[in-house]
Amino acid sequence: MAELESATEHERILREIESTETACIGPTLRSVYDGEEHGHFMEKLETRIRNHDREIEKMCNFHYQGFVDSITELLKVRGEAEKLKNQVTDTNRRLQVDGSELLSSMKELQQCRIQQRNIAATVDKLNLCLPVLEMYSKLRVQMKTKRHYPALKTLEQLEHTYLPQVSHYRFCQVMVDNIPKLREEIKDVSMSDLKDFLESIRKHSERIGQMAMKQAHQQRNLNNILSQQTKGGLGRSHKKDMSLSPEINGTSHMSEQEDSGILDVEDEDEEEAPGTKDLVDFSPVYRCLHIYTVLGSREVFENYYRKQRRKQARLVLQPPSNMHETLDGYRKYFNQIVGFFVVEDHILHTTFGLVNRAYIDELWDLALSKTMAALRTHSSYCSDPNLVLDLKNLIVHFADTLQGYGFPVNQLFDMLLEIRDQYSDILLKKWAQLFRNILDADNYSPIPVSNEDIYRRIVGQFPFQDLELEKQPFPKKFPFSEFVPKVYSQIKEFIYACLKFSEDLHLSSTEIDDMIRKSTNLLLTRTLSNCLQNVIKRKNVGLTELVQIIINTTHLEISCKFLEEFITNITNVLPDTVHTTKLYGLTTFKDARQAAEEEIYTNLNQKIDQFLQLADYDWMASESSEQASGYLVDLIAFLNSTFAVFTHLPEASDTHSRMPGKVAQTACMSACKHLSTSLTQLLLDSEVKQITMGALHNFNLDVKECEGFARSGPVPGFQGDTLQLAFIDLRQLLDLFIKWDWSTYLADYGQPTCKYLRVNPTTALTLLEKMKDPSRKNNVFAQFRKNERDKQKLIETVAKQLRGLINSHHS
């Protein structure tokens, strides 16, 4: 078994020796000598070597015959090589004989080639001269046809490309001498073209501006449509892109055929304005700029151009004297300015330095200051709100157009806020006339309603709700007169007019809301208030009209909350927002109502005074009559009819209003007090020197008539004898004299329970003095002639006591 393993191992080692490189065979051999079978391995190795030798011998024996055949073939090739050598020698001999003829032909060919080269050189020189002559001829043709811009190019090519190649010819020197003259000629002609261009552009500025503003308007309409679509799909967008991007259609200013227009109008109206792209041909500017640049005079050209355009700017910015009369005047003015700056903007973007941003900004600052000054001056002459509104829209259009070209226009929008105040003042004047017309045309009677359509129409005009009135059958009446819905509608129209001016001013909703509320407050507190006060103070206004005014102003005051909601709905600014202006115009209606109430009281008192002027008392009457004075009966009848009208007027829907019941009560009390005071003044008038007891009884009948009026309750709502207290002073004075109850008066004077508490000692003394003169036959004591002396003595005694009371009171 061990021998078998050893043989297998030796066989493996032999395979490794056969397959391994010589450098790596050391470890394999070492493994042989490390074992004890190396002798046996050597035998194996010898056997393997012998086997390889036998294989080598077999291989050599197999290839030997081929080697012999190869040697035999090589010997045959040597003979053939000799034959080939002889053939080559013979061929060389014959070639030398034939080549002598070829050499002769080659010499002839060489001579011909030299001649051809000389001819070609001559042709090349002619080709160098011919382009120069052709270019010079082309130059003369271009100069003759006034194509100076390409002529300058030709001149440059001729000078720098062609002439240097043939400069040694005499005709070229003639051309070189003419080149400076040609340049000066081109320079002069191009400047003449520029002047013509400047004159043309001045005439076309208005048309250019008109087209630019038209483009801006179309762009803004497109933006509005897109914005509305965005609002419908993505929500509301508060920011509008009002900027315009005017297209510049010009190619390089170095090209021969330049762009002939600056406006790109591609819309449905293009057919209506043909040639808008050809309004201005800028090629003279480009040509002249390039010519002066090439000639080294670019700075001269730039200074000349800017100086001329500044002069034209000042002419454009000078407004016509009658510009304020029509909107067309403003439109032409704006078109010229826009056209001027559109041209300059185009020049800025297409000439690479002819004008720069600093120059444009300088001109714009000048234009802005001049334009704003002109607008402030001319707009101040305007008194038509529609014209001011159109002017505002035109200014916005003007500003948006120039903003689209990159010009700052914030100052224009700030100036529009100033015009807004002027617009508000004009509106106030217009609405003052509207209010006056409404108030003058009103009949100051409740509005009758005969059918449902009329009822709904009025309710649609004015926010009125009254369940009781709705339940009533037709015909029926509203509590207010015609001027209430009309005034309310006009207030809403005023708000709409204010809102129109705020459109497109780039104001926030809060600013618009604040402006509308402030203007509405002015309308209420100044304009409408003055109109109402003038109506109330008119001489021919009656008590019924005054009462109706009070009812009307009450309903208008209630409607102020609906005006608040109306403003909130159109501005989307909640009334409780910080800095939101409140409508404090409701004080207008309170003040008007108070003035109307005061006027009612004043008119009643004036009527009472007119009746009292008819009073004709016989102060020396010896006997009393049985009935009251006729004037007083008429006065009481007038008061009864007047307060009856109060009673039948409809109540206002506001439970806190004072109309008509409260006002009627106050008016009735005021009338009674005034009547009592006036009667007392008649009695105590200094012109009445004497009064008889009979006259006093007659006067007492009139006072009783007044007291009867007070007891009759002409106006409901008084408690007890409240109204009769208006005559208490006069009643106690008359009772004191008629009853001649001086002992009680003098004894109880000063005590809270005094029977004649309201009788003043001075008043009593004045009246007493009128009753003690004995010089008249019809003396008050004439019926008591027997006791005349005692009565006179009593009067003196009472008078003395009254003077004592008066003195003690004063002390």
Side-chain angles (χ1 to χ4, degrees), residues 107-117:
K107 289 181 181 178
E108 294 177 0
L109 178 61
Q110 183 181 10
Q111 187 65 33
C112 290
R113 291 290 176 84
I114 292 172
Q115 293 177 357
Q116 288 179 351
R117 186 166 57 249

Side-chain angles (χ1 to χ4, degrees), residues 508-714:
S508 65
S509 298
T510 304
E511 291 174 321
I512 295 175
D513 183 85
D514 183 69
M515 184 210 75
I516 291 177
R517 291 178 185 273
K518 287 181 178 179
S519 299
T520 305
N521 280 328
L522 284 177
L523 178 72
L524 296 177
T525 58
R526 190 170 72 184
T527 306
L528 181 56
S529 177
N530 290 338
C531 293
L532 289 173
Q533 294 293 338
N534 291 334
V535 170
I536 293 170
K537 298 299 181 182
R538 283 190 307 200
K539 293 182 178 180
N540 59 345
V541 64
L543 295 176
T544 305
E545 287 83 355
L546 291 171
V547 173
Q548 189 63 57
I549 289 174
I550 295 174
I551 296 175
N552 291 350
T553 53
T554 300
H555 286 282
L556 285 173
E557 180 183 348
I558 297 171
S559 69
C560 282
K561 64 180 181 180
F562 296 100
L563 290 176
E564 289 269 10
E565 296 175 359
F566 176 72
I567 296 175
T568 299
N569 290 335
I570 63 176
T571 61
N572 293 320
V573 177
L574 298 178
D576 55 352
T577 305
V578 180
H579 305 307
T580 299
T581 303
K582 305 299 181 182
L583 278 185
Y584 53 83
L586 53 87
T587 58
T588 295
F589 306 115
K590 291 181 179 179
D591 294 342
R593 189 162 56 251
Q594 183 178 359
E597 292 174 8
E598 294 295 334
E599 193 67 19
I600 288 174
Y601 309 148
T602 302
N603 283 0
L604 274 176
N605 293 341
Q606 289 176 352
K607 286 290 184 180
I608 292 173
D609 291 338
Q610 292 175 5
F611 279 102
L612 289 175
Q613 289 176 1
L614 301 177
D616 186 17
Y617 287 102
D618 182 6
W619 299 110
M620 300 303 296
S622 58
E623 297 181 357
S624 61
S625 61
E626 297 179 355
Q627 56 184 5
S629 302
Y631 85 92
L632 191 63
V633 174
D634 294 339
L635 173 58
I636 298 301
F638 164 75
L639 292 177
N640 281 322
S641 62
T642 298
F643 291 114
V645 172
F646 276 67
T647 304
H648 290 89
L649 285 173
E651 292 283 350
S653 59
D654 185 3
T655 56
H656 298 287
S657 71
R658 302 181 62 235
M659 280 309 299
K662 296 294 184 181
V663 174
Q665 293 173 12
T666 306
C668 187
M669 178 58 75
S670 173
C672 290
K673 286 183 178 180
H674 183 71
L675 180 56
S676 176
T677 303
S678 300
L679 289 173
T680 303
Q681 291 176 353
L682 284 176
L683 191 62
L684 300 177
D685 192 355
S686 60
E687 295 183 1
V688 179
K689 304 300 183 181
Q690 290 181 339
I691 298 178
T692 63
M693 187 59 73
L696 205 58
H697 279 285
N698 290 337
F699 190 81
N700 186 47
L701 290 175
D702 291 348
V703 175
K704 286 182 178 180
E705 189 73 17
C706 295
E707 292 173 331
F709 166 76
R711 284 193 302 271
S712 66

Side-chain angles (χ1 to χ4, degrees), residues 64-244:
Y64 176 74
Q65 184 60 41
F67 175 72
V68 173
D69 294 338
S70 297
I71 294 299
T72 302
E73 291 293 330
L74 184 62
L75 291 176
K76 291 179 180 180
V77 169
R78 184 174 63 180
E80 294 295 330
E82 279 298 325
K83 292 180 182 180
L84 180 62
K85 179 179 177 183
N86 293 331
Q87 291 177 358
V88 170
T89 302
D90 184 60
T91 300
N92 180 56
R93 180 181 56 78
R94 286 186 285 108
L95 182 62
Q96 292 297 330
V97 174
D98 295 335
S100 59
E101 296 179 1
L102 180 62
L103 289 174
S104 176
S105 299
M106 288 296 294
K107 289 181 181 178
E108 294 177 0
L109 178 61
Q110 183 181 10
Q111 187 65 33
C112 290
R113 291 290 176 84
I114 292 172
Q115 293 177 357
Q116 288 179 351
R117 186 166 57 249
N118 292 336
I119 293 172
T122 303
V123 171
D124 290 341
K125 294 297 183 181
L126 290 175
N127 287 336
L128 287 176
C129 293
L130 285 175
V132 175
L133 296 173
E134 290 175 355
M135 291 296 291
Y136 191 78
S137 176
K138 179 181 178 182
L139 175 64
R140 300 306 302 180
V141 172
Q142 290 173 339
M143 292 292 293
K144 185 176 181 181
T145 57
K146 297 183 178 181
R147 299 174 60 206
H148 302 98
Y149 178 60
L152 186 61
K153 288 185 177 181
T154 303
L155 189 62
E156 290 177 353
Q157 294 176 358
L158 184 65
E159 182 179 17
H160 297 97
T161 303
Y162 293 98
L163 286 178
Q165 299 176 4
V166 292
S167 57
H168 53 283
Y169 296 111
R170 286 182 295 175
F171 75 89
C172 293
Q173 187 61 40
V174 176
M175 295 182 184
V176 170
D177 294 339
N178 285 334
I179 285 176
K181 299 178 182 179
L182 294 174
R183 282 192 177 129
E184 286 299 323
E185 182 180 351
I186 293 173
K187 185 177 179 181
D188 294 340
V189 174
S190 64
M191 180 57 70
S192 176
D193 292 342
L194 176 67
K195 292 178 181 179
D196 295 339
F197 165 79
L198 292 175
E199 180 65 22
S200 174
I201 200 66
R202 187 182 67 83
K203 296 178 180 178
H204 288 89
S205 290
E206 181 180 344
R207 179 63 172 162
I208 296 171
Q210 179 183 358
M211 297 307 302
M213 292 182 72
K214 181 180 179 181
Q215 279 187 352
H217 182 67
Q218 293 170 348
Q219 180 66 34
R220 184 172 66 177
N221 291 340
L222 178 61
N223 290 341
N224 290 338
I225 294 174
L226 295 177
S227 176
Q228 292 175 0
Q229 294 175 350
T230 303
K231 289 177 184 178
L234 301 176
R236 183 174 181 179
S237 173
H238 295 281
K239 183 177 181 181
K240 293 183 180 179
D241 181 14
M242 299 302 295
S243 63
L244 302 173

